[in-house]
Amino acid sequence: MKFESGVVLTVITSKDNPSVKLYMKLSSSKKERKNSGLYVLEGFRLIEDAVNEKAPVKQLFFTEDAYGKYSDELSQADLKEVKILIISNELGIKISCTEKPQGVFAICEMPPARSLEKEINKNGRYVVLHGLQDPGNLGMIIRTADAVGMDGVILSESCELYSPKVIRSTMGSAFRMKIFESRDTDELFSCLESNGIKSYAAVIDKDAVDLRTIRFEGGCAVFIGNEGNGLPAEIASRCTVKATIRMSGHINSLNAAMATGIFMWEMSGSSIH
C-alpha cells in the first residue's frame, strides 16, 4: 500500500498522545479550530470523499479493527504526505462523536476563504443562510444544494461550517460546494446587486408572492432566515421579492432545511443555466 511507510506501527492507547490531544481539542473547541485553521473528520466515507476531492488531510487515525477493515480501500489514494496513526479500539470510542463509530478519524486543513466578489457567477443560483443556527440544518442544506446544482451557499451570521456535526451532515458535499462567508450584509447586497442577481426573501407572509408562480431567470439568490424567527424584517425588505411557500391545513411553517430545499428545487428547475 502506498501509505504503509507513513504508518506509526505502535498502537496508541493514551489520549495524552499529542496527535490525539490535538484531535480532541479540534473536535470540541470552535476557538481551537479557528486559531489553528484545522478541523476534524470522522467516518470512512466522509474521509474517503475528502481524499477523493483533494481536501488537505494532514493526519489520519485508524483504530486497530478499522485499519484491517478500511485501509485497503484507501490504498490507491496518494497519502504519502499524511501522518497515519493506529489507535486502540478503546481510544477510538473515547474520541468519537458518533453512536456507532467506524474507527476512522482525520485532521484536515481548512481551505482558504472564498471571495464572493471574485467568484460570483452573474447567472448563478445561490442560497443565503442568514442567522441559521442548527448544524444539522446547515449540513443538510449544503448537501441538498450540491444535489440540485446550486452555484454556491452563502453563510451570513450563521453557525460554524467546520463544526464536526455540520461536516458530517454534509456527507461530503462540503468538499464540492462553493461555500462563502459574508460578514457584512451591506457588502453582500452590494455584490449581488452590482452583478444583476435578483434576491428573494423566503418569508411567511400572506402578501408575499407564491413560490409556485415565480420563474427564476438569470442570476438569483434566496435568503433563508433563522429557524425560530425567520428573516429579520430589515433583511427581507432589502430583497427584490418576498416569496412564500403556500401551505394548506393548519401548518404555517416548515423546517428550515426543508423549506430551503423546496426553494432550491424551484430555482434549479425554472430554467437551464
Side-chain angles (χ1 to χ4, degrees):
M1 293 182 289
K2 290 186 179 180
F3 56 82
E4 275 190 341
S5 60
V7 177
V8 176
L9 296 178
T10 303
V11 177
I12 297 168
T13 60
S14 172
K15 62 182 181 179
D16 291 326
N17 173 274
S19 291
V20 173
K21 286 178 70 174
L22 175 60
Y23 181 93
M24 294 175 71
K25 286 181 180 179
L26 293 171
S27 178
S28 61
S29 170
K30 177 180 178 180
K31 182 179 179 181
E32 188 75 26
R33 292 190 289 271
K34 181 178 180 180
N35 290 342
S36 67
L38 301 170
Y39 66 102
V40 300
L41 307 173
E42 179 179 350
F44 172 72
R45 294 301 173 196
L46 183 61
I47 292 170
E48 183 181 44
D49 277 341
V51 170
N52 289 340
E53 296 295 333
K54 310 299 183 185
V57 175
K58 296 301 181 183
Q59 296 193 45
L60 184 57
F61 305 79
F62 290 95
T63 62
E64 297 165 278
D65 287 349
Y67 185 71
K69 184 175 182 181
Y70 296 113
S71 61
D72 283 348
E73 295 190 53
L74 285 173
S75 63
Q76 300 306 309
D78 184 4
L79 297 175
K80 60 179 179 293
E81 301 297 325
V82 180
K83 181 179 180 180
I84 298 171
L85 303 99
I86 308 299
I87 63 176
S88 68
N89 296 328
E90 293 75 18
L91 186 54
I93 293 172
K94 287 180 182 178
I95 70 173
S96 174
C97 290
T98 63
E99 291 183 6
K100 296 180 179 179
Q102 293 179 310
V104 189
F105 312 86
I107 294 175
C108 196
E109 185 177 327
M110 296 178 188
R114 290 182 176 275
S115 168
L116 182 64
E117 187 174 330
K118 292 179 181 179
E119 295 189 52
I120 197 165
N121 175 359
K122 293 184 177 182
N123 293 309
R125 308 292 171 95
Y126 296 92
V127 57
V128 181
L129 305 177
H130 184 83
L132 207 73
Q133 294 303 312
D134 184 89
N137 279 338
L138 176 54
M140 187 179 297
I141 289 168
I142 291 170
R143 185 183 177 200
T144 306
D146 186 18
V148 301
M150 290 290 104
D151 291 277
V153 174
I154 302 168
L155 306 182
S156 172
E157 300 179 25
S158 288
C159 57
E160 182 204 3
L161 172 61
Y162 292 104
S163 76
K165 188 172 182 180
V166 170
I167 293 295
R168 282 199 309 274
S169 298
T170 70
M171 298 183 71
S173 292
F175 309 124
R176 293 183 289 272
M177 278 300 302
K178 289 185 177 181
I179 303 172
F180 305 89
E181 188 166 355
S182 171
R183 294 181 172 85
D184 188 306
T185 305
D186 290 337
E187 288 182 2
L188 173 57
F189 274 102
S190 176
C191 181
L192 295 176
E193 290 163 5
S194 65
N195 284 279
I197 292 180
K198 201 171 184 178
S199 54
Y200 296 82
V203 297
I204 301 172
D205 187 338
K206 61 182 178 60
D207 296 322
V209 179
D210 187 335
L211 174 61
R212 293 170 296 185
T213 68
I214 297 174
R215 181 170 177 80
F216 294 96
E217 296 180 312
C220 50
V222 61
F223 280 67
I224 303 292
N226 175 269
E227 291 89 347
N229 302 316
L231 273 179
E234 62 270 22
I235 299 294
S237 65
R238 294 184 67 171
C239 291
T240 315
V241 176
K242 291 181 181 179
T244 193
I245 300 169
R246 294 279 182 247
M247 289 170 263
S248 60
H250 299 289
I251 301 298
N252 60 10
S253 66
L254 292 172
N255 168 273
M258 175 64 74
T260 309
I262 293 172
F263 268 90
M264 289 192 293
W265 178 256
E266 292 291 334
M267 291 168 71
S268 67
S270 287
S271 63
I272 298 174
H273 69 291

